Amino acid sequence: MDRKQHWEQVYTQKQPTEVSWFQPRPEYSLRLIAAAGIDKSQPIIDMGGGASRLVDNLLADGYGDISVLDISAAALQHTRERLGAPAAQVTWIEADATAFEPPKSYALWHDRAVFHFLTDPADRQAYRQRLERGLRSGGQLIIATFALDGPEKCSNLPVQRYSPETLSAELGAGYRLVETLTEGHITPAQKEQRFVYCRFVKS
């Protein structure tokens, strides 16, 4: 099964509230986005955010140029239906994070739990190439991955765990780490997953 088939199956067999990474309110992401201090009219992209409730909160907070990318059409459809009429204010992108061509230059790039699924160095390189083209100079990058003491697998797939230092090394010298947070995420099954959140500024 390829990557797209896997995630389509996940989101057709489960409700978004049933998956282990579900958050009723993405507090840590919202905290870091607020700390980034970008003008709310500037473009933001949420990578792998198809079924996340981040977009609901960004719309409520007055952000006006939001894109949500996900490999799963089913995940995106869940959120469009949940939002109703406000979904028309969002740009929806059905694509693999390692293969899409950024249609604009973003002021903020957010990724909770996509990058850690890229265990193949070639996939990480492809992702970094899209990031390099899609995030403007001076733009801010927020990535959340499983921490070093986080799970070794998620959704029956292996993951790459990170510390702030190893994530910085993976991204390279063009991204300056300015803030980190750690989260003990409690899944719908009441299990704890350790995440690390990092906010970078692109040179």
Side-chain angles (χ1 to χ4, degrees):
M1 183 184 298
D2 70 15
R3 192 150 52 204
K4 181 171 177 59
Q5 286 177 312
H6 174 86
W7 293 111
E8 292 293 9
Q9 187 176 85
V10 167
Y11 284 108
T12 52
Q13 294 182 350
K14 292 185 176 183
Q15 290 298 310
T17 54
E18 297 172 331
V19 297
S20 66
W21 50 94
F22 172 70
Q23 296 175 302
R25 178 178 166 83
E27 296 285 359
Y28 287 75
S29 294
L30 290 166
R31 188 185 309 176
L32 289 171
I33 290 170
I38 68 165
D39 187 284
K40 291 185 177 181
S41 67
Q42 294 300 301
I44 292 175
I45 188 165
D46 185 18
M47 303 295 291
S52 166
R53 300 198 174 188
L54 181 65
V55 64
D56 311 49
N57 287 277
L58 293 177
L59 287 169
D61 288 345
Y63 290 89
D65 189 344
I66 306 165
S67 297
V68 177
L69 178 145
D70 205 282
I71 197 170
S72 168
L76 293 168
Q77 186 60 26
H78 278 303
T79 300
R80 282 198 293 260
E81 291 176 358
R82 184 179 71 244
L83 287 174
Q89 302 173 42
V90 179
T91 300
W92 305 97
I93 304 171
E94 181 188 337
D96 188 315
T98 67
F100 90 114
E101 292 305 321
K104 63 174 70 175
S105 178
Y106 298 99
L108 189 144
W109 179 296
H110 174 269
D111 171 349
R112 178 181 180 266
V114 173
F115 193 70
H116 68 199
F117 282 110
L118 305 181
T119 57
D120 184 333
D123 282 338
R124 294 198 295 273
Q125 181 181 16
Y127 181 105
R128 289 194 304 269
Q129 288 170 344
R130 273 78 194 166
L131 173 63
E132 184 63 26
R133 293 200 288 270
L135 184 63
R136 65 183 58 167
S137 178
Q140 303 214 26
L141 166 65
I142 296 166
I143 295 190
T145 71
F146 283 143
L148 294 180
D149 57 351
E152 295 181 352
K153 297 184 77 173
C154 182
S155 190
N156 296 316
L157 297 175
V159 297
Q160 182 78 38
R161 298 177 295 177
Y162 291 94
S163 67
E165 293 76 19
T166 59
L167 187 55
S168 293
E170 185 70 45
L171 292 171
Y175 297 88
R176 178 171 57 88
L177 180 63
V178 293
E179 186 175 5
T180 65
L181 298 172
T182 56
E183 177 191 25
H185 168 65
I186 305 301
T187 73
Q190 299 303 301
K191 295 181 179 179
E192 186 181 54
Q193 297 177 333
R194 301 293 296 175
F195 275 82
V196 60
Y197 288 71
C198 295
R199 180 165 66 92
F200 298 88
V201 176
K202 183 182 177 185
S203 300

